Amino acid sequence: MRYAVLVTGPAGAGKSTFAKSFMTHLAASKRTGHLVNLDPAADPSSFEYEPTIDIRDLISLEDVMSELEYGPNGGIVYCFEYLLQNMDWLEEELGGYEDDYLIIDCPGQIELYTHHPFIPTLVQHLSRMDIRTCATYLIESQFMEDKYKFFSGVLSAMSAMVNLEIPWINVMSKVDLVTLNPEDPSGGARNGLRKKKDIARYLDPDPLLIATTRGDKSDKTNPRFHALNQAIVQLIEDHPLVSFLPLDLTDTDSLEYVISHIDYTMQYGESEEPKEPHDLDEGDFQDLE
């Protein structure tokens, strides 16, 4: 059985860094893993591990932008359209790996996951190849600075989950940039001080964070958005699909916690046959006489 993890999320969420750490963990655990780069705009020097399969061997964003004069976003869309027209290339590249873990690093254009058919079509191809697939969706802890920005991330994650229809894990990355200690000499980190109970309201999104009462003087939100906020609150309450696992890549236990959830979601190793014990003979018991 082969396994594939789609590493998705908006630009700057730490997808490539997570993929690198994932590869390091697999190597330390004596598990076979391969990095698959599906970002045609990726910088070759940014990879600590050389991709086993690289979409840039088929098409690159740089070539598309120079030859067709497309912008970055239009170029990404063109690259994925070209990939879907040449899926036999990807299937041939994937064909040589059995009983392996494929970590697929995806680009940061969230529209690829939320409403375009490209990634869902790719997932269908992987399924037909008998590759058990799940997705991780990363957003960074900076989203906790602005509750409205955070809930836009929640809605994009929900949209991607519905669009892809595969086992799914949402991850709050860069949690090391949030401190729980007000006496931390570093001053906490970029995202300021947070209490555990406050962080919990974001990891398991509490829609009341953006709930407002009409006429509430303490609420600085434009009154025109009151009805929209209430609709978002109702949607999240009616469809509580999104929750986040905290990821601190400076903490090995945090990484192992996330990967264990990925393994469980894909039922990693469930179909593996138990290893047969080696045959025993009389010589194996001589020390016991």
Side-chain angles (χ1 to χ4, degrees), residues 183-211:
E183 298 180 357
D184 186 345
S186 68
R190 182 185 64 194
N191 293 347
L193 301 175
R194 295 287 187 274
K195 297 179 180 178
K196 286 185 178 180
K197 64 178 182 180
D198 295 328
I199 295 176
R201 296 185 73 186
Y202 286 92
L203 296 180
D204 190 8
D206 181 0
L208 295 180
L209 285 168
I210 59 169

Side-chain angles (χ1 to χ4, degrees), residues 64-237:
V64 171
M65 292 177 64
S66 62
E67 295 181 15
L68 301 180
E69 299 183 354
Y70 284 0
N73 289 333
I76 290 285
V77 171
Y78 180 88
C79 289
F80 267 84
E81 288 178 340
Y82 189 82
L83 173 63
L84 293 184
Q85 294 170 2
N86 296 273
M87 283 302 297
D88 54 337
W89 171 83
L90 183 60
E91 292 180 7
E92 182 178 350
E93 292 289 315
L94 292 172
Y97 301 101
E98 297 290 342
D99 300 325
D100 293 338
Y101 220 110
L102 303 172
I103 302 173
I104 304 177
D105 191 4
C106 298
Q109 279 68 21
I110 61 172
E111 60 268 22
L112 294 175
Y113 320 119
T114 56
H115 60 276
H116 275 304
F118 310 137
I119 301 296
T121 303
L122 172 64
V123 168
Q124 292 171 8
H125 278 277
L126 294 176
S127 178
R128 284 198 291 268
M129 295 179 66
D130 199 26
I131 299 177
R132 191 173 293 178
T133 308
C134 84
T136 59
Y137 190 89
L138 278 68
I139 68 171
E140 59 176 316
S141 58
Q142 183 185 10
F143 277 55
M144 288 193 289
E145 287 190 9
D146 185 336
K147 58 186 178 182
Y148 299 106
K149 181 179 179 180
F150 171 75
F151 277 98
S152 71
V154 170
L155 292 177
S156 65
M158 185 184 298
S159 177
M161 293 172 71
V162 173
N163 195 34
L164 265 64
E165 298 182 332
I166 57 176
W168 197 274
I169 290 181
N170 296 299
V171 177
M172 180 73 71
S173 64
K174 305 181 184 179
V175 175
D176 51 303
L177 300 183
V178 179
T179 181
L180 303 177
N181 182 10
E183 298 180 357
D184 186 345
S186 68
R190 182 185 64 194
N191 293 347
L193 301 175
R194 295 287 187 274
K195 297 179 180 178
K196 286 185 178 180
K197 64 178 182 180
D198 295 328
I199 295 176
R201 296 185 73 186
Y202 286 92
L203 296 180
D204 190 8
D206 181 0
L208 295 180
L209 285 168
I210 59 169
T212 56
T213 303
R214 193 179 298 277
D216 185 356
K217 295 182 180 180
S218 63
D219 180 31
K220 299 180 181 180
T221 308
N222 191 317
R224 292 183 299 175
F225 297 127
H226 173 83
L228 175 62
N229 290 343
Q230 293 299 113
I232 293 174
V233 167
Q234 191 62 49
L235 174 65
I236 295 174
E237 286 185 336

